[in-house]
Structure formats: C-alpha cells, structure tokens
Amino acid sequence: MARNNGEEKPVRGRSDKALAHRLKRLRSESMKPPMGLSESETKARKNAASVDCGWGRLIFAQTFDKPSELVDALRKEGPERRDIAFYVRDPHVLLAMAPQEIFLDPSHTFRLDLATYRSSRRQPRGFFIRRLSSEADARAVNRIYAARGMVTVSPDFFWSNRDNRAITYLVAEDEASGEIIGTVTGIDHGRAFEDPESGSSLWCLAVDPQARHPGIGEFLVRRLAEHFAARGAHYMDLSVLHDNAQAISLYEKLGFRRVPVFAVKRKNPINEKLFARPLAEYDALNPYARLIVDEARRRGVHVEITDAEGGFFRLSQGGRSVHCRESLSELTSGVAMSICDDKAVTRRVVEGAGLLVPEQMAFDGDEEALAAFLKEHGRVVVKPARGEQGRGVAVGLETMKDLKRAVANAREVCDRVLVEACFDGEDLRLVVIDFRLVAAAVRRPPHIVGDGRRDVRSLIESQSRRRAAATGGESTIPIDGETERCLASAGFALDSVPAQGEDIVVRKTANLHTGGSIHDVTGIVHPKLVDAACKAARAIDIPVVGVDFMVRSPSEADYVFIEANERPGLANHEPQPTAERFLDLLFPLSGQKSAAHALGKM
C-alpha cells in the first residue's frame, strides 16, 4: 500500500524498485521548506495569513510580500500574548529591520513526511485520545499549560473555536479518573490560508507532570499525524527548543527530520529567557528557586544568584534588597523558623490558636507506653521531630513490629521521634502568603498500575523515572523498607507481577520528594480549612508558609493539623499565582500592582 494525500490505494503493476523511487521522490518533495514557491503559487495563497491560537497568533511569514509588513504584524502582538512568525524566509533581513524588538527563536523545526508515515500497532494503556469537547476540557488544558510554564488560553477561546476547521485540539483522558492528562494542538495550513503545499503543523504538546501513564506525548503526536494524513496533508511540522533533548529524541523516534525553517518572535516579558543574556548559574537553580527568579526578572526586579546549589538569591529594587532561599526570605523571623522546625512545638503553638491536632506522644524508649498508644488508636504515624521532604515518616502503622522499625528509621533523621494518631483521609497542603490563602492542593501517595508483564520493582522504577523527568529530578520513589512494608500490607512483594490495570499504592506518605503527586483544589477548598490555615500562619507569625492538614475531603470542614513548612515549594502549585503573590509581598510596588497604582486604578 502507498499513501497519497492521506488515502490508502493499492499500487499495481509497479516493481519494488519503482515503488521505492516514488516514495523517495515524495519524501524529497515534502521535506522542502515552504520558501521556494513559484510566483503563481505565492499569489494563489492568502496574503498576510495568520491563525489566532489563543496564546497568540501563528503568523505564516511566507504569505507576506515584504519583511517590513511582517515586522508590522509582529508589532501588533497583544498584551500577555506570544505571537510566532513561522517559515521566515530571510531571518537575517528581518532581524536587521527591528533588532531591538524581535529575535530569532532558538528552536529547531522538525518535519514528519506524512506520505511515508506509518501508524504504530501499539495502543494507549490506561488512557485514550479524543477531541476537546467541553469547557471542562478547556480548563483542564489550561491547567496543564500553566503547570508546564506555557501561556494559558481563555477557556471561551477553546470553546468558540471548537468548530474551527483550521485548528484541531486533541486531549488525552485517563480511563480510570476521567482527568485530562495531555493535550496537543494542530493547524491545517490548507484550511488556514489555502496552502498550495498542503502542510500542517503541531503546537502546544503538553503532558500533565502528575500523569502516571507512559507514552502520552507519543500517542498525541501520532494521533494528530494520522488526522492530518487522512485530510490529505503532505507533512506536519513542529518547533522545539534546541536544548530539549527529551522531546527531540521522541520526534526523531517517530520519523521527524530537521529542516531549515526559522521562527521569529517579539522581545516581550514572556519570551525574555529566550533572548536575554542568562543569569550566571541560572541552570543550577532548582525549580522552586527558578520560578521566583523568573517572576522577579519579568517584573524588572534585579536578581543576584548567591548560591545556586542551595537555591539562594538576592532580589533588589528601588533601594530595597531581600535575600531568599527559594520561598524563604529575610521577612521570616528566626523565631518563626524555630517553631516550624520542631513539629512538637508547632503543634503546641497552633493548638493554642484553636486548631484541631491529633493526639501525640514523644517516644522516649518506653515500649509499653508505645504499645498502649497503638492499642488505643489502632493505626499511628511515626515521624522525626525535625526533618523535611518526608524523610523518616511512616503512615498507617498497625503492628508493634512495623512501629519499632519505623521508630528506628525516624531516629536516623532525628533523635526525637513523635508518634501520632492516624487520621484517615487526604493530605492537603495550603499555601498562605501575607496571611491569605494563595493555593491549596491535595497530595496523593505514589502508586503504580500493573500491566500483567512487569514486576513491581520494574513498575516502580519506571514510574519514578517519569516523576523525576516531570519535576526536574525533585520527585522519585525510593525502594526501601517503608515501600516494602506498604507493598506487603497490600499483598505484594517487589518481584510480584500485578495483573493488568491493578492499582497499587507503594508508599503511604504523599510527599512530593518520595514520589507523591499534587492536585490543585484551590477552587473547592472549604472556607473553614482556609480560616484554620490563616490562623496557623498568624499564630506562628510567618509571612510565607505551607500548612499541612489531613482532611476527609478538601471541600469538607473536618481536618487535623499535621505540620507547617517555612519553605513551601511554590512551583508545585501552578497554575495558582504563588510566585506573583510572593513578589507582591517582597516588593509591593512591582509588577501589575505598581502599574495599577500609577494609573489610579487601585
């Protein structure tokens, strides 16, 4: 079978040599960039063509008669938008006309020849691909965009363009939860501007960083390629940053080849990191520090990285200077830090402010008292009095054997060990900045899904690699005694092979650093939980804090206080404006607030 314009037709009366020659010719023709058209072909297409994609316009540079007209089009970019001029014929000429306003995007263009592309026999496992079909889908796509640092789109735009013949929105939906876990946008050039080359392009491929299924991005790309091939498109192009090795590897695996096609963008705050001179040691910052540094630079706040490995930086503007370590700043007092550092002290302080706390005992070596506490409560939690990132924490202990082992593990982190009554429910983190709630998220423990082939160890390692890739190495699932205990309680060992679709929780703690995932619930969190978190912040007298509760549901009022973190990871809570509110706290007259004051709108 040979594919011509997306239709499968039998090839009769041709030798293998002739067929190979034809496929070679088709590949050669489709790999030509759209910059060598004849005069008649150029006139046949629409002039000055562009497509509004919601995040900005995709401007087809080959449809502009003069470079000056293309520059003028880029100058009409809307606020908070990112226009892209694609298929720029002579980028050096364009840049020379407006060097202070535009820049050459540091991305490669890759092309998939749809005449020779072949679909995979593999099918998605645990999710499926479909078209975007509702406003809820649109909101979910925006959530993924924000989590990936992309420009968000008004949900109304998605919905109003659902019947747009030039734009195709695909989403990946989790079969079990119904959540949208990936998205991709396709542009049909023929329907956008009567492209004589019958091209198409792929944009905004994004996968939810919390997604646990492999291959989501690959199947989205494949489905879009099949869609355009069926429409008769000759090729599908995409643009990818030159240093995105993971994405480039995927595209090359699927048969994409690099082509000499260029894109130009405007020098705006959204694009600043692509054209501005990078800060020294910026790449060594972790995601939590980088989020704040990016927001500071966007506002024009001066940034000096003082220790990249530790996440330290100094922010300065208008004679004011604040030294920070991620979300911890000089505005947080040493007393507040001391209160958060010792979980027993934190508990006493917030209990005095009227918050509900679980019953607790400090283990001093008295095993009889420990056994009595376990008997009274049935299930308990063990944690070091001091520690972070979930180290030494064990949840849901029901036997003295497990309890003693957990105490020994906790003592490796801190000599003082606390034992608490276990509250069944979900782990809720509330981020409070300037004594107001900014974000709320449920943190869920890591789990794996069996495929009937691989053992538990392999599934954990695979899931751990995905979590590490999605979080810049911040989240991995340790295979240790706590993991083995949780597996054993569910009837599994590391060498067990779970059935296909079987869902197994591999650790009871939901901390991000031990493989947990984070799910935004800011829009549904109960007002009483918000009030309790703000009370805790005021009792500790701390301007930025992550307050942890165990709750029945984030939309219900029942809770118990767990702990307070003086350095919450703000990057874990996108799309909520955590970095923006942090900069508002440090520099109240920066950013949009400053502009509003200047214009008399506040």
Side-chain angles (χ1 to χ4, degrees):
M1 303 286 281
R3 176 167 291 172
N4 180 27
N5 291 340
E7 296 180 0
E8 298 282 357
K9 297 181 179 179
V11 179
R12 297 189 179 92
R14 299 189 184 199
S15 66
D16 290 342
K17 185 176 181 180
L19 178 59
H21 176 75
R22 180 172 181 269
L23 290 177
K24 183 178 180 180
R25 178 174 58 80
L26 285 170
R27 181 187 296 273
S28 176
E29 290 175 354
S30 69
M31 292 296 281
K32 292 179 182 177
M35 56 180 68
L37 299 175
S38 68
E39 185 176 351
S40 61
E41 287 176 322
T42 301
K43 290 180 178 179
R45 62 177 45 167
K46 292 180 179 178
N47 291 327
S50 66
V51 174
D52 187 356
C53 299
W55 38 262
R57 294 171 300 160
L58 179 60
I59 301 172
F60 294 93
Q62 73 272 36
T63 66
F64 285 74
D65 292 331
K66 299 177 183 178
S68 58
E69 294 175 356
L70 183 54
V71 171
D72 288 340
L74 283 166
R75 285 172 174 155
K76 294 176 182 176
E77 178 184 70
E80 302 296 322
R81 306 260 283 183
R82 174 186 277 175
D83 289 351
I84 302 174
F86 203 41
Y87 302 115
V88 176
R89 180 181 292 108
D90 297 312
H92 55 293
V93 175
L94 202 66
L95 295 177
M97 298 187 69
Q100 302 303 319
E101 298 177 72
I102 61 176
F103 69 99
L104 184 64
D105 186 45
S107 295
H108 295 320
T109 300
F110 281 81
R111 176 168 294 178
L112 181 65
D113 178 1
L114 296 178
T116 58
Y117 170 72
R118 290 293 178 266
S119 303
S120 172
R121 293 182 179 179
R122 293 193 305 117
Q123 295 296 318
R125 289 176 176 265
F127 65 95
F128 58 91
I129 310 296
R130 61 171 175 81
R131 282 179 176 267
L132 182 145
S133 61
S134 69
E135 291 190 46
D137 287 349
R139 289 192 295 272
V141 167
N142 262 338
R143 174 182 56 79
I144 296 173
Y145 283 175
R148 289 300 190 181
M150 299 163 65
V151 180
T152 56
V153 178
S154 167
D156 292 340
F157 179 88
F158 284 115
W159 192 239
S160 62
N161 279 272
R162 65 189 183 280
D163 296 324
N164 188 325
R165 290 167 60 80
I167 307 178
T168 298
Y169 300 109
L170 299 180
V171 295
E173 179 179 327
D174 187 291
E175 289 181 350
S177 67
E179 293 181 350
I180 301 302
I181 54 177
T183 179
V184 70
T185 301
I187 305 295
D188 186 325
H189 299 179
R191 298 186 179 189
F193 63 100
E194 299 172 4
D195 180 17
E197 290 194 338
S198 299
S200 65
S201 53
L202 176 156
W203 302 92
C204 298
L205 175 66
V207 175
D208 188 337
Q210 311 295 343
R212 57 199 171 101
H213 303 293
I216 297 170
E218 176 181 342
F219 281 107
L220 283 165
V221 174
R222 287 188 179 277
R223 186 62 57 83
L224 190 64
E226 292 160 8
H227 168 74
F228 283 136
R231 279 190 174 186
H234 290 170
Y235 58 81
M236 183 171 73
D237 287 348
L238 59 83
S239 181
V240 58
L241 281 174
H242 70 97
D243 57 356
N244 191 344
Q246 185 178 7
I248 289 173
S249 176
L250 168 63
Y251 299 139
E252 290 179 338
K253 167 189 168 184
L254 295 179
F256 284 82
R257 295 292 180 266
R258 187 176 162 189
V259 292
V261 171
F262 304 100
V264 168
K265 298 176 181 175
R266 281 192 70 241
K267 291 182 177 179
N268 61 27
I270 296 173
N271 293 325
E272 184 176 5
K273 61 184 178 182
L274 300 177
F275 66 83
R277 182 178 179 181
L279 285 169
E281 298 188 282
Y282 174 83
D283 290 340
L285 292 174
N286 63 35
Y288 308 112
R290 193 175 299 172
L291 179 78
I292 297 169
V293 166
D294 287 344
E295 175 63 17
R297 297 186 75 194
R298 188 184 71 81
R299 294 179 179 218
V301 175
H302 177 72
V303 178
E304 176 193 358
I305 299 174
T306 53
D307 181 59
E309 187 175 348
F312 289 88
F313 50 88
R314 185 181 300 279
L315 304 179
S316 305
Q317 187 183 56
R320 177 179 173 83
S321 177
V322 183
H323 206 184
C324 306
R325 184 184 186 190
E326 300 164 12
S327 63
L328 176 65
S329 76
E330 295 173 333
L331 275 64
T332 296
S333 70
V335 172
M337 283 188 62
S338 296
I339 293 172
C340 292
D341 181 55
D342 191 318
K343 294 178 175 61
V345 175
T346 316
R347 179 181 182 277
R348 292 197 295 270
V349 168
V350 300
E351 185 179 19
L355 272 71
L356 302 175
V357 297
E359 192 168 343
Q360 184 187 89
M361 67 168 285
F363 178 63
D364 58 4
D366 186 345
E367 293 190 1
E368 289 187 5
L370 189 64
F373 191 86
L374 177 62
K375 182 178 181 181
E376 178 182 358
H377 298 287
R379 299 171 66 245
V380 298
V381 177
V382 167
K383 56 187 177 183
R386 290 176 172 167
E388 59 181 4
Q389 299 183 352
R391 290 192 293 266
V393 178
V395 177
L397 303 165
E398 298 178 342
T399 68
M400 277 298 293
K401 178 181 177 181
D402 289 340
L403 188 49
K404 290 179 181 179
R405 183 186 302 164
V407 167
N409 290 338
R411 276 183 166 164
E412 292 180 3
V413 178
C414 177
D415 290 338
R416 291 174 52 234
V417 174
L418 305 176
V419 184
E420 290 181 347
C422 189
F423 182 93
D424 288 325
E426 294 190 289
D427 187 330
L428 178 68
R429 160 66 62 89
L430 300 109
V431 177
V432 178
I433 299 178
D434 200 14
F435 307 109
R436 288 174 291 182
L437 180 77
V438 176
V442 168
R443 303 187 296 179
R444 293 178 180 143
H447 56 113
I448 57 174
V449 178
D451 60 10
R453 297 180 292 106
R454 292 179 291 173
D455 62 24
V456 168
R457 181 187 294 274
S458 297
L459 291 167
I460 291 175
E461 290 173 346
S462 178
Q463 174 71 350
S464 189
R465 285 193 295 271
R466 287 195 293 275
R467 296 293 300 129
T471 60
E474 292 294 315
S475 180
T476 57
I477 306 172
I479 298 179
D480 56 15
E482 176 62 12
T483 299
E484 292 184 85
R485 182 188 71 81
C486 292
L487 289 170
S489 67
F492 294 92
L494 290 171
D495 58 358
S496 303
V497 179
Q500 182 172 337
E502 190 161 13
D503 196 303
I504 305 166
V505 175
V506 298
R507 290 181 76 87
K508 295 294 179 66
T509 54
N511 193 283
L512 174 76
H513 296 275
T514 54
S517 57
I518 298 177
H519 307 266
D520 182 73
V521 294
T522 308
I524 64 170
V525 68
H526 197 282
K528 287 190 176 180
L529 301 181
V530 175
D531 181 62
C534 294
K535 277 185 178 179
R538 290 193 178 279
I540 301 169
D541 195 18
I542 186 167
V544 180
V545 64
V547 179
D548 294 343
F549 292 157
M550 288 297 295
V551 299
R552 305 290 185 199
S553 165
S555 59
E556 297 178 10
D558 291 341
Y559 77 94
V560 293
F561 172 87
I562 301 300
E563 63 182 36
N565 190 314
E566 75 279 4
R567 183 162 49 98
L570 302 186
N572 297 333
H573 297 274
E574 293 182 295
Q576 301 305 326
T578 52
E580 290 94 320
R581 297 296 83 81
F582 182 72
L583 265 294
D584 287 346
L585 172 71
L586 269 54
F587 301 96
L589 297 181
S590 67
Q592 293 181 353
K593 186 175 287 189
S594 175
H597 274 293
L599 295 171
K601 294 182 178 180
M602 289 187 68

